[in-house]
């Protein structure tokens, strides 16, 4: 069910960005340029968030995080991103994720760590990286780990929802979102490990 919801949400977002993707390709903008621009935008939004401007930080980060869908759509329209495009995209994702959660940790620490939000943010950051690593490493070994209830886009949207609640004056909003996210990230990491173990070919007994 979770995978169906994720696929549907991504399909809706992709449908919405298709016209923009075609326009950017038509004027000569490459998917890689969009990838880098999206990361720069996330860094800017993260800075706003770290300084306590949760509303604008959330809006900027969410808007630029959606370029993760846009550059992928552009690459598919162009016939594929190539190996370097895939490497660049993954690298920029890791930088953006680190910036977002680093900003959240800094902000919550300056606010007195309400509801243990700093701990939740650190767990989310660490296991978010593990989730991505497990999938990439499994694929390099010929295994399948393409499962999970909270992939990158969903994780950023959950943080965004918490940021908006915080901006609305609900002190519990951001820490609550982070604790939910921490739990989902841990579950997803182990889901992928277990699924990869089950897809490993059985060695015939001698």
């Amino acid at each position: 069910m979770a995978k169906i919801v994720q696929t549907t949400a991504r399909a809706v977002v992709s449908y919405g960005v298709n016209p923009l993707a075609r326009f950017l390709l038509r004027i000569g903008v490459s998917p890689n340029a969009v990838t880098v621009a999206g990361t720069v935008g996330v860094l800017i939004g993260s800075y706003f968030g770290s300084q306590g401007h949760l509303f604008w930080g959330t809006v900027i980060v969410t808007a630029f995080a959606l370029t993760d869908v846009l550059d992928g759509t552009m690459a598919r329209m162009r016939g594929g991103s190539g190996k370097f495009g895939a490497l660049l995209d993954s690298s920029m994702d890791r930088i953006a994720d680190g910036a977002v959660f680093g900003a959240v940790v800094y902000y919550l620490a300056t606010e007195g760590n309400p509801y243990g939000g700093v701990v939740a943010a650190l767990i989310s950051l660490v296991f978010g990286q593990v989730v991505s690593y497990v999938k990439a490493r499994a694929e390099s070994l010929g295994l399948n780990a393409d499962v999970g209830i909270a992939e990158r886009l969903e994780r950023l949207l959950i943080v965004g929802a918490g940021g908006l609640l915080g901006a609305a004056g609900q002190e519990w909003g951001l820490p609550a979102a982070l604790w939910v996210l921490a739990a989902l990230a841990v579950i997803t990491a182990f889901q992928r490990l277990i699924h990869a173990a089950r897809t490993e070919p059985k060695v015939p007994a001698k």
Side-chain angles (χ1 to χ4, degrees):
M1 181 61 72
K3 200 70 176 178
I4 294 174
V5 172
Q6 292 170 8
T7 303
T8 302
R10 288 174 182 272
V12 170
V13 173
S14 296
Y15 178 81
V17 304
N18 280 347
L20 178 58
R22 293 192 189 95
F23 171 75
L24 291 174
L25 288 173
R26 192 160 54 245
I27 64 175
V29 178
S30 71
N32 289 348
V34 171
T35 298
V36 174
T39 301
V40 172
V42 170
L43 293 175
I44 294 171
S46 297
Y47 173 77
F48 273 85
S50 72
Q51 300 304 303
H53 305 295
L54 294 183
F55 176 78
W56 288 112
T58 299
V59 169
I60 295 170
V61 167
T62 302
F64 280 95
L66 291 176
T67 60
D68 198 43
V69 178
L70 178 59
D71 59 10
T73 302
M74 292 172 65
R76 284 191 294 274
M77 288 180 174
R78 208 170 67 165
S81 62
K83 292 181 179 179
F84 176 75
L87 175 62
L88 178 67
D89 186 60
S90 296
S91 301
M92 293 297 102
D93 283 351
R94 302 292 79 74
I95 293 172
D97 290 352
V100 169
F101 287 101
V104 168
V105 167
Y106 179 84
Y107 167 73
L108 290 175
T110 61
E111 295 294 309
N113 190 24
Y115 303 97
V118 169
V119 176
L122 290 173
I123 294 173
S124 299
L125 174 59
V126 171
F127 276 89
Q129 303 299 315
V130 172
V131 165
S132 299
Y133 176 79
V134 169
K135 181 179 178 181
R137 183 60 174 155
E139 289 175 349
S140 73
L141 295 171
L143 304 176
N144 187 314
D146 189 18
V147 296
I149 59 175
E151 298 184 8
R152 182 173 183 267
L153 179 59
E154 291 77 20
R155 295 198 301 270
L156 291 177
L157 291 176
I158 291 171
V159 173
L164 291 178
L165 286 171
Q170 304 299 319
E171 185 185 53
W172 57 267
L174 183 55
L178 290 168
W179 279 114
V180 170
L181 182 56
L184 293 177
V186 171
I187 292 170
T188 301
F190 282 100
Q191 275 186 309
R192 289 188 167 182
L193 285 169
I194 293 169
H195 187 75
R198 290 174 175 171
T199 63
E200 183 173 15
K202 302 299 182 182
V203 178
K206 293 183 180 180

